[in-house]
Amino acid sequence: MRGGLRKALFVTLLVTAGGFLTALFPALFGLADLTEGIGVWALASLVGLAAGLAGLWVMMTLLDGHFDQLVRLHGAVLGAGVRGGTLPDSWNARGGKPDELQRLAGAIAAMLARDRADDRRVDARLSAILGAIGEPILVVTQTGLISLMNAKAAALLGADRLHLGGSLYAILDRTPLIDASGESRAAGAPVERTLTGVAGDTYPARVVPLDEPDGLLIVFLSDVPGHAAGIVEHDMALHDTPPDIAPHPDLPLTELPALSLDCETTGLNVATDRVVSAAGIVMHGPRLYRHLAYDRLVNPGVPIPPASTAIHGITDDMVASAPPVAEVLAELAELLRGRVVIGHNIAFDLAVLRAEAARHGVAWSDPPALCTALLFSFLYPRHRDLNMEAVAAMCGAEIEGRHTAFGDCLVTAEIFAGMLPLLAEQGVTTLADAQRVLAQPSVMRARQHEAGWHAPADGKAGER
């Protein structure tokens, strides 16, 4: 018989059955008479009964743990899209013979790896074809992010300045490029223009409008002698943007425009402590848009206590030249516009931001929010440990960069993505459903209220 759980259940079943048979045998054959005291047969019956009950308890524990592991694997598979199609390392068998779930996880991981390998083969072939083009070429998004470049473009514009995801406007003057883009789209055909570098250098180029992906192809007409056509680097996901959907009560959670948000602070007192770092990642349901991420250090205007630095690693020197919180609050307010904020114990982060807004006279209104800690407690009311590590482990999420604002954003996004189908199984499918769940009385919510984390009824702060 293969499989650790099956073996354990088989042995436990034998012990349970043997225990109950031992308990019943003396009674069935009249061998135990308790009126004469506890004799050998009566003692055997009691021992058998105890063994049977213990066996039942062990069986229930094994099955309960097995189903908990299935839930974790379920969450890990659903969160694989957040991690780029991989399962957390915790599902890799480490020494010894893998059990049933590890073999299942291994099969899923192998299937995901095959899909990634197929994508890489297609990418490699396209890169080889595009790399054979003799001219320097770039593809940029509508916002100017570089999504594709070949070796000749790097040689022409400077390999130290040109990189995927970087802004072309840091290298080329924005105005001539935008004008050429407008003309080419109006004409429905490529146009040739001389583009100007930020340092005054010039580059004759052909600008080609692209509909899919939405952006521009720029073919530089300058010769780059001595440089053979090289490998093409690209990231077409930079062209992806979330759909323009306004959150409303009946909106499915799988279509929710959201921002996974986290702040690091000088301490845990929401009334007096300050923000030292803030990060957010734009989401649409379970999908992440990493190129739309926000990550800022913040100058708190006060010394950072060593005890806090020991947790998040942010020092006074690191934030000395960082922007003040008033500037960051304005950026966050714009980023949150039309989105639901998601966070682990998000009430703490919002309370700190609310207090900072009031302290600096900045208008602030709390956005609609979903707390992954409270959602997890709804799904698993028996689990008392609701810190991010425990929730991530149960949901099959991978912890990376813990106690950094950006790292915690990624973990929270992965947790939320893995929760969506589990919430749907409990009938929680819309924003209104989730908000109803979060409004239910609970010990954790009561403690948050006592700590002053939750906003007043109007949710506003900072207006003087």
Side-chain angles (χ1 to χ4, degrees):
M1 181 179 294
R2 297 176 301 167
L5 178 65
R6 282 186 289 178
K7 288 181 180 179
L9 285 175
F10 181 73
V11 172
T12 306
L13 182 61
L14 289 179
V15 172
T16 303
F20 284 132
L21 287 175
T22 301
L24 291 173
F25 183 81
L28 290 174
F29 292 95
L31 299 175
D33 186 356
L34 293 179
T35 59
E36 298 179 357
I38 299 180
V40 174
W41 287 109
L43 183 61
S45 180
L46 291 173
V47 171
L49 179 62
L53 292 173
L56 279 178
W57 181 83
V58 172
M59 287 178 65
M60 291 298 295
T61 301
L62 289 171
L63 288 172
D64 188 55
H66 180 69
F67 285 114
D68 278 348
Q69 289 286 86
L70 279 174
V71 169
R72 287 185 61 244
L73 180 57
H74 188 191
V77 173
L78 294 167
V82 177
R83 285 185 303 273
T86 62
L87 293 182
D89 289 339
S90 58
W91 284 105
N92 296 331
R94 299 182 184 278
K97 188 176 181 181
D99 61 18
E100 298 90 343
L101 283 175
Q102 286 174 326
R103 286 197 293 271
L104 175 59
I108 294 171
M111 180 183 67
L112 293 172
R114 284 195 297 271
D115 289 342
R116 295 197 308 276
D118 290 342
D119 290 341
R120 284 194 293 267
R121 279 194 292 272
V122 172
D123 288 346
R125 291 169 181 170
L126 288 175
S127 295
I129 294 170
L130 293 172
I133 296 175
E135 296 87 359
I137 58 171
L138 289 178
V139 174
V140 297
T141 70
Q142 279 299 317
T143 57
L145 297 181
I146 300 165
S147 62
L148 182 147
M149 63 183 190
N150 66 358
K152 283 206 168 185
L156 177 67
L157 298 178
D160 57 332
R161 299 190 299 167
L162 199 67
H163 56 89
L164 289 181
S167 175
L168 185 60
Y169 301 139
I171 304 173
L172 299 180
D173 186 26
R174 180 190 302 260
T175 302
L177 186 57
I178 291 178
D179 290 344
S181 171
E183 292 177 25
S184 65
R185 289 191 180 278
V191 298
E192 293 189 2
R193 292 289 183 273
T194 297
L195 304 179
T196 307
V198 293
D201 40 348
T202 57
Y203 303 94
R206 182 182 303 115
V207 179
V208 184
L210 300 174
D211 293 325
E212 180 54 43
D214 189 22
L216 294 173
L217 167 65
I218 304 172
V219 181
F220 292 93
L221 305 179
S222 304
D223 187 27
V224 185
H227 291 276
I231 296 173
V232 169
E233 298 180 50
H234 62 86
D235 183 1
M236 292 295 106
L238 293 171
H239 292 266
D240 295 342
T241 56
D244 187 13
I245 302 174
H248 58 82
D250 296 328
L251 187 66
L253 293 175
T254 53
E255 300 295 324
L256 192 68
L259 182 80
S260 177
L261 176 70
D262 187 79
C263 298
E264 297 298 328
T265 62
T266 57
L268 298 178
N269 187 319
V270 296
T272 60
D273 281 309
R274 312 297 179 88
V275 175
V276 298
S277 175
I281 299 176
V282 174
M283 301 181 70
H284 175 233
R287 183 174 181 184
L288 265 68
Y289 295 83
R290 291 175 183 257
H291 59 289
L292 300 180
Y294 176 90
D295 191 9
R296 293 285 189 278
L297 288 173
V298 182
N299 189 330
V302 298
I304 302 174
S308 298
T309 296
I311 295 173
H312 50 55
I314 299 173
T315 65
D316 291 331
D317 289 342
M318 292 170 63
V319 300
S321 60
V325 72
E327 181 179 326
V328 172
L329 284 169
E331 293 173 347
L332 285 176
E334 183 61 31
L335 194 60
L336 285 165
R337 195 183 310 278
R339 296 188 173 105
V340 176
V341 63
I342 295 171
H344 202 75
N345 288 317
I346 188 62
F348 171 83
D349 303 87
L350 292 179
V352 173
L353 293 173
R354 198 162 55 244
E356 289 276 37
R359 185 177 296 117
H360 294 276
V362 176
W364 176 268
S365 294
D366 279 356
L370 296 179
C371 175
T372 52
L374 289 175
L375 289 174
F376 180 84
S377 68
F378 164 75
L379 289 170
Y380 306 108
R382 290 184 302 154
H383 286 263
R384 301 303 179 193
D385 190 354
L386 298 179
N387 67 61
M388 186 177 287
E389 288 87 348
V391 172
M394 188 64 188
C395 292
E398 190 82 355
I399 293 286
E400 292 182 14
R402 182 70 171 107
H403 293 303
T404 65
F406 189 73
D408 285 356
C409 277
L410 283 173
V411 177
T412 299
E414 189 175 339
I415 289 172
F416 181 72
M419 279 184 178
L420 289 179
L422 305 178
L423 289 167
E425 291 175 0
Q426 301 297 320
V428 181
T429 60
T430 67
L431 176 58
D433 293 335
Q435 290 175 326
R436 171 182 49 80
V437 165
L438 296 182
Q440 294 175 357
S442 67
V443 173
M444 183 176 184
R445 185 172 176 82
R447 289 174 178 169
Q448 292 180 353
H449 273 286
E450 291 173 4
W453 292 5
H454 288 274
D458 62 4
K460 295 181 179 180
E463 299 178 347
R464 294 181 179 178

